[in-house]
Amino acid sequence: MMTCKQATHLISAGQDRQLRRGERILLRIHLALCSGCSRYDRQLHLIRAACSRLFGNERE
Amino acid sequence: MTRELERARFDDTVLAELRGDLLRFASLQLRDDHLAEDVVQEAMAAALAGQQDFAGKSSVKTWVFAILRNKIIDVIRQRGRTINVTALSPEERSMDQGFEALFKANQHWKPDHRPSDWGDPEQALRDSQFMVVLEACLSHLPANTARVFMMREFLALDTAEVCAELAISTSNCHVILHRARNGLRECLEKNWFAAGEHP
């Protein structure tokens, strides 16, 4: 069973590489069951989008 | 618009006013005050020299920032291997310990530290206070962590390129990026969300 700590590593790694199929499935199951990690996932997405805007990387 | 008005938009006072913003941006990306100063000087000089190319399509600020961005990108690329990001600073060690402390012995979130619901992301992106806090959180990342994060998120290099430029392993790259994101997340949770600066 995936721990939350493991999930955070995978969520972050997913922003930098393609997760393997097994990783993706296990993570999806964990996120379905864990609101904390679901929020963590959304937070990391927001941080990426916000940085993109801050650094002027967004397309006009 | 007459020639005189166009030229006036570019005089020294306009650039002098921008200088603070330019310096803040360069420092955030480079984490080196001397380099930041140099790069801003070069950008301002290039802007003055290239006035004719400024067709007035965007604001002066946007145009000068574009020049600055390109110079920063060059510096980051050139600098790549000259910085050693593998040695853990005390701050980085402290960040790692802080992250560990969010979890119980079974590695699930401690109830008090479970991530909060930050609400609608679109709202946050439109919230200028969110951006202010984000910038402050970025500037508080330890220098080496920030540099790796900037190569990935500002330069938008893919991870293989970041590792290659810095001569570090892929796994180390992931560790550092994870550290950066955790640091930003906690900083935002504490200083933006918990501080009540949100709808």
Side-chain angles (χ1 to χ4, degrees):
Chain A
M1 208 195 85
M2 188 175 292
T3 68
C4 293
K5 190 146 162 267
Q6 284 169 334
T8 66
H9 278 282
L10 271 187
I11 289 166
S12 176
Q15 297 213 320
D16 303 316
R17 66 170 173 86
Q18 188 159 60
L19 295 184
R20 292 186 291 277
R21 197 158 161 271
E23 290 174 320
R24 239 182 0 256
I25 292 169
L26 283 173
L27 179 60
R28 204 168 288 159
I29 292 170
H30 183 87
L31 291 181
L33 300 169
C34 180
S35 60
C37 290
S38 294
R39 289 171 184 170
Y40 181 93
D41 183 42
R42 284 200 294 277
Q43 287 169 354
L44 254 54
H45 277 101
L46 175 56
I47 287 168
R48 169 162 277 182
C51 283
S52 195
R53 184 167 291 197
L54 192 68
F55 301 155
N57 284 349
E58 278 183 333
R59 254 169 238 154
E60 296 283 322
Chain B
M1 200 177 293
T2 63
R3 285 255 115 185
E4 288 70 41
L5 273 175
E6 278 177 2
R7 206 168 291 127
R9 290 165 78 186
F10 251 99
D11 69 21
D12 292 337
T13 37
V14 171
L15 285 187
E17 278 165 11
L18 276 181
R19 192 172 182 279
D21 289 341
L22 295 169
L23 206 49
R24 223 174 68 227
F25 188 79
S27 297
L28 195 67
Q29 306 298 338
L30 295 172
R31 302 302 299 266
D32 180 323
D33 289 345
H34 289 307
L35 264 180
E37 285 273 0
D38 286 349
V39 114
V40 167
Q41 276 304 112
E42 284 178 35
M44 284 169 66
L48 277 168
Q51 286 179 61
Q52 276 86 303
D53 299 335
F54 176 63
K57 285 195 202 103
S58 60
S59 69
V60 173
K61 183 171 182 177
T62 308
W63 191 70
V64 179
F65 258 89
I67 295 173
L68 179 67
R69 280 168 53 91
N70 286 329
K71 293 203 175 286
I72 291 174
I73 286 167
D74 287 342
V75 169
I76 291 177
R77 279 193 175 281
Q78 275 161 37
R79 185 172 68 173
R81 249 158 237 245
T82 67
I83 51 175
N84 173 16
V85 298
T86 52
L88 265 189
S89 71
E91 294 104 330
E92 281 148 355
R93 204 166 292 131
S94 164
M95 281 175 80
D96 289 353
Q97 284 166 357
F99 185 64
E100 294 294 314
L102 303 177
F103 300 94
K104 300 185 287 199
N106 66 3
Q107 304 300 282
H108 292 293
W109 296 103
K110 285 178 177 163
D112 282 347
H113 293 293
R114 197 168 291 133
S116 312
D117 184 348
W118 286 359
D120 180 12
E122 285 304 314
Q123 284 255 35
L125 284 173
R126 283 196 298 264
D127 183 350
S128 59
Q129 187 57 22
F130 180 79
M131 290 301 185
V132 166
V133 177
L134 175 63
E135 199 182 319
C137 291
L138 280 162
S139 67
H140 278 105
L141 285 177
N144 281 340
T145 306
R147 284 164 181 162
V148 180
F149 184 76
M150 292 309 175
M151 287 183 87
R152 177 79 184 107
E153 303 291 335
F154 168 59
L155 268 188
L157 296 179
D158 66 44
T159 321
E161 288 175 294
V162 176
C163 301
E165 294 272 343
L166 295 171
I168 58 176
S169 67
T170 318
S171 59
N172 200 0
C173 220
H174 285 301
V175 164
I176 297 172
L177 289 169
H178 186 44
R179 182 181 294 130
R181 293 175 183 134
N182 286 331
L184 291 172
R185 198 199 69 82
E186 268 186 70
C187 178
L188 281 165
E189 188 130 323
K190 204 175 296 174
N191 297 292
W192 174 71
F193 185 81
E197 299 278 3
H198 59 96

